[in-house]
Amino acid sequence: MRLSSGPEPATADGNSHLVETPGEWSPQALRALPLDEVTVLASRIRSLLVEHVCAAGGHLGPNLGVVELTLALHRGFESPRDVLVFDTGHQTYVHKMITGRADLFGQLSRSGGISGYPSRSESVHDWVENSHASTALSYADGLAKAFAAQGQEQRWVVPVIGDGAMAGGLAFEALNNLAGAGYRKVVVVLDDNGRSYAPTTGALAVHLAGLQHPSHRGSEAGRSNLFTDLGFVYIGPVDGHDPVAFEQAFEEARAVQGPVLVHTLTRKGKGYRSAEADDIDCFHAVGIIDPATGAPSSSVSEPTWTDVFGDELPRIGAQRPDVVAVCAAMLQPTGLKRFADRFPRRVFDVGIAEQHAVCSAVGLAMGGLHPVVAIFLNRAFDQLLLDVALHRLPITLVLDRAGITGPDGPSHHGLWDHTLLSLVPGLRLAEPRDAVTLRELLQEALSDQDGPTALRFPKGTINEDLPATHRVGHVDLLGPIGHDVLLVGLGAMAGPCVAARDRLTTQGFSVTVAAPRWALPVPEELVRLAAGHRLVVTVEDSARAGGVGDALAQACADAAVPARVRNLGVPGLFMAHGSRPELLAAAGLDACGIASGVRLAWDSHQL
């Protein structure tokens, strides 16, 4: 259910108290606030951001950088009649506070609490569910067309794009159409902080930096640059932390009869010393930290899956000069930083451009190298299918946010990788279950020169080691061999399957737990194992439809295996935010849920 758009406007004389009463914040009240009090409000908002995000975790640096920008947007335009479309949706905490949700930040990104991204179910001010980059300009293009077609030309459409997102190819496609259409009420706001996670790469970053010196507002604002050459009226650069400059810029933009681009300069982490001093990513995303020091609240840091990958790749790279790495503006988060520090000429950060990342890797492979590509797979599936696989090139994808990721919500869960990868001819999929198998399978993947490989693992703390008691080809067996039920635990699901096996054993079931090292194509050894059991249950941290479980069921049917095959996985829906353990349990993918699923399948088939 949508929240209300906020209280009715307060009188100017009664507005001063609003700074200290977040529960009364609204776009109407903000527009009535005297300009000289906006800076005081900005300071109050920064204090709340530090307080809440340090306590819960989340995107701190990006939101600290857009406080004045967000306030100016809500003062200069009348949301929701005027449409504010935020591109990198992790920059919308301030927007949420101003639109009636400031008192809800104690449950930020927690199960049942507010999302860390725009959410149409939360507010009429949130137009999209976006979180990934480079989409807002396309949304804006369509919205402007829709309003024009319905005679609603009085409505402004204001896409806000930043955190490196302008470098994405989709953004350039939209710029081409926005400028060419000659929209009268579209204002593109380019929030230029010079960074995505790390400093922005590529020629666009150089071009934007060149526009900053000297400052050329007013009569010089029309000088030729990339955006004016496309057909935009360029306003800027604007000091992104000066409310007065913003008021002037947006007043000027509203007076223009045609597409406008307002170029604003902001500082990521603004106002919080620890974030400003963080060279890696300005506290782009943090866990629970001490607000006074910026240090993690716990001195004990458990290793993550990404840590293990990031430690192993440089070891391999020292022995394999042909191994190179490619990422899309996520060098540190994907674990490639150590490799980059050791082999700086062998890492290529292409910016937020996943399609280009994969096609560029095709060229690297054709040139005799073995690229390791760490990206969000969903954004580059066509390139994987028709550029990598069709050429049978030795490229290794590393999917380090596979399955349920937790608090970031629907757009960040990696729930479709099994389904997508199962469609790619010739691709081999590795499923590490712990640190040992992650290291081993990464080496095996990079030794494969016959076609593409993929390595998938979740975000977060790595599982305890689960040594194999037997190995049959590409399949590890974890414990005794039974004859009733074959439990197939894929990747990180192997641990919960072992725990479910222990529950089922006490109930009289004879259970085998198999953990395929290579899950696609389906190993012949796994099909033979299935033939020795009455029921086969696959457990995958991915969508059930079209996943590895379906592939195994088809392989068993083709081989005339009489065993029933039941697939446990994530249902076909967009999962909300919450902790990974909570969401796994909700999907029936913890030990209790798996054991229940096995019993239900056994009883329903009357085995």
Side-chain angles (χ1 to χ4, degrees):
M1 182 174 65
R2 289 178 183 264
L3 301 175
S4 69
S5 59
E8 290 300 311
T11 63
D13 292 339
N15 260 326
S16 298
H17 77 286
L18 286 176
V19 171
E20 294 301 328
T21 53
E24 297 183 26
W25 291 351
S26 71
Q28 300 97 320
L30 174 60
R31 287 193 291 273
L33 191 70
L35 180 58
D36 59 2
E37 292 190 31
V38 172
T39 299
V40 181
L41 177 60
S43 179
R44 172 64 172 145
I45 288 173
R46 283 197 170 89
S47 296
L48 287 177
L49 287 171
V50 172
E51 174 188 342
H52 288 305
V53 181
C54 288
H59 290 92
L60 183 54
N63 288 287
L64 290 169
V66 298
V67 176
E68 290 85 1
L69 169 57
T70 307
L71 297 179
L73 286 167
H74 279 287
R75 286 172 65 86
F77 301 94
E78 295 186 20
S79 175
R81 186 199 67 179
D82 297 333
V83 180
L84 304 180
V85 186
F86 292 88
D87 195 281
T88 43
H90 57 247
Q91 290 183 307
T92 55
Y93 291 8
V94 184
H95 164 77
K96 285 174 177 261
M97 288 182 175
I98 292 301
T99 54
R101 288 167 277 181
D103 285 348
L104 304 178
F105 268 73
Q107 293 296 312
L108 175 65
S109 296
R110 296 179 183 176
S111 182
I114 62 170
S115 169
Y117 297 93
S119 173
R120 288 166 63 89
S121 65
E122 286 182 8
S123 173
V124 294
H125 298 279
D126 292 5
W127 281 80
V128 298
E129 302 281 339
N130 71 314
S131 58
H132 288 313
S134 309
T135 58
L137 302 187
S138 294
Y139 292 146
D141 177 64
L143 281 162
K145 289 173 180 173
F147 293 160
Q150 298 173 79
Q152 300 178 28
E153 288 90 349
Q154 78 282 4
R155 302 180 70 177
W156 289 93
V157 180
V158 187
V160 184
I161 183 166
D163 262 19
M166 186 64 89
L170 182 60
F172 276 92
E173 294 174 29
L175 279 175
N176 179 52
N177 279 268
L178 282 168
Y183 297 120
R184 297 181 61 187
K185 288 188 176 290
V186 172
V187 177
V188 174
V189 178
L190 172 55
D191 170 30
D192 178 8
N193 59 22
R195 304 182 71 97
S196 48
Y197 280 86
T200 311
T201 63
L204 179 60
V206 176
H207 182 72
L208 293 178
L211 295 179
Q212 298 181 22
H213 307 288
S215 177
H216 51 279
R217 287 195 40 37
S219 61
E220 297 182 43
R223 85 173 185 184
S224 178
N225 59 50
L226 169 66
F227 307 109
T228 59
D229 288 347
L230 283 172
F232 286 90
V233 171
Y234 173 88
I235 298 174
V238 178
D239 182 345
H241 303 295
D242 181 351
V244 174
F246 266 130
E247 300 268 329
Q248 295 172 349
F250 286 144
E251 182 178 355
E252 185 177 342
R254 290 193 300 270
V256 174
Q257 296 297 307
V260 182
L261 185 139
V262 177
H263 180 195
T264 174
L265 307 180
T266 62
R267 182 172 183 179
K268 201 167 184 176
K270 173 71 173 178
Y272 182 40
R273 183 176 301 175
S274 297
E276 291 184 358
D278 179 33
D279 291 333
I280 295 177
D281 63 6
C282 298
F283 280 21
H284 179 92
V286 298
I288 299 174
I289 62 175
D290 181 345
T293 65
S297 58
S298 172
S299 59
V300 179
S301 179
E302 298 184 57
T304 66
W305 294 86
T306 304
D307 289 336
V308 176
F309 163 69
D311 181 63
E312 184 62 24
L313 188 62
R315 298 177 193 270
I316 298 173
Q319 304 297 321
R320 290 275 304 276
D322 62 315
V323 171
V324 296
V326 181
C327 73
M330 293 182 64
L331 191 70
Q332 176 78 15
T334 57
L336 294 177
K337 181 67 165 55
R338 294 179 215 170
F339 189 88
D341 289 342
R342 188 165 180 183
F343 308 109
R345 294 175 59 86
R346 291 162 58 183
V347 174
F348 308 99
D349 182 351
V350 302
I352 302 176
E354 287 84 356
Q355 293 176 314
H356 168 62
V358 173
C359 275
S360 177
V362 167
L364 289 168
M366 288 177 172
L369 301 176
H370 191 124
V372 175
V373 183
I375 60 166
F376 287 108
L377 174 62
N378 298 8
R379 293 166 67 95
F381 176 70
D382 182 67
Q383 288 68 37
L384 170 62
L385 181 67
L386 295 178
D387 297 297
V388 177
L390 185 61
H391 292 99
R392 297 196 58 81
L393 292 169
I395 292 174
T396 297
L397 298 174
V398 175
L399 312 178
D400 75 330
R401 282 157 173 75
I404 292 172
T405 56
D408 282 338
S411 61
H412 278 59
H413 295 312
L415 299 180
W416 301 276
D417 53 355
H418 273 173
T419 303
L420 296 174
L421 293 171
S422 69
L423 300 174
V424 180
L427 179 138
R428 299 178 67 219
L429 171 62
E431 295 273 5
R433 64 180 180 273
D434 54 24
V436 172
T437 52
L438 195 162
R439 294 180 186 276
E440 292 173 347
L441 290 170
L442 178 61
Q443 293 188 45
E444 291 178 26
L446 291 173
S447 297
D448 191 334
Q449 300 299 315
D450 295 329
T453 52
L455 191 75
R456 79 180 293 271
F457 47 84
K459 181 181 179 181
T461 304
I462 198 164
N463 295 357
E464 293 183 4
D465 288 345
L466 287 171
T469 53
H470 307 78
R471 179 169 297 171
V472 183
H474 292 307
V475 181
D476 285 346
L477 302 181
L478 309 179
I481 299 176
H483 54 79
D484 289 336
V485 180
L486 175 64
L487 258 181
V488 182
L490 294 157
M493 293 294 96
C497 283
V498 169
R501 187 261 322 275
D502 295 342
R503 289 171 176 257
L504 292 165
T505 299
T506 65
Q507 299 170 25
F509 289 93
S510 175
V511 181
T512 304
V513 176
R517 298 166 63 83
W518 290 91
L520 293 173
V522 174
E524 295 180 2
E525 302 88 355
L526 192 58
V527 177
R528 289 198 291 270
L529 277 167
H533 295 76
R534 299 172 68 185
L535 174 66
V536 178
V537 178
T538 65
V539 184
E540 55 191 305
D541 185 10
S542 186
R544 291 176 57 197
V548 175
D550 274 359
L552 176 58
Q554 185 62 57
C556 287
D558 292 345
V561 171
R564 300 278 187 173
V565 181
R566 166 79 171 170
N567 305 326
L568 300 182
V570 180
L573 49 81
F574 290 105
M575 297 196 72
H577 54 272
S579 72
R580 177 172 163 84
E582 287 175 327
L583 296 178
L584 285 173
L589 296 178
D590 59 353
C592 180
I594 294 168
S596 296
V598 170
R599 290 194 301 271
L600 180 63
W602 184 273
D603 293 341
S604 64
H605 293 310
Q606 297 182 340
L607 297 172

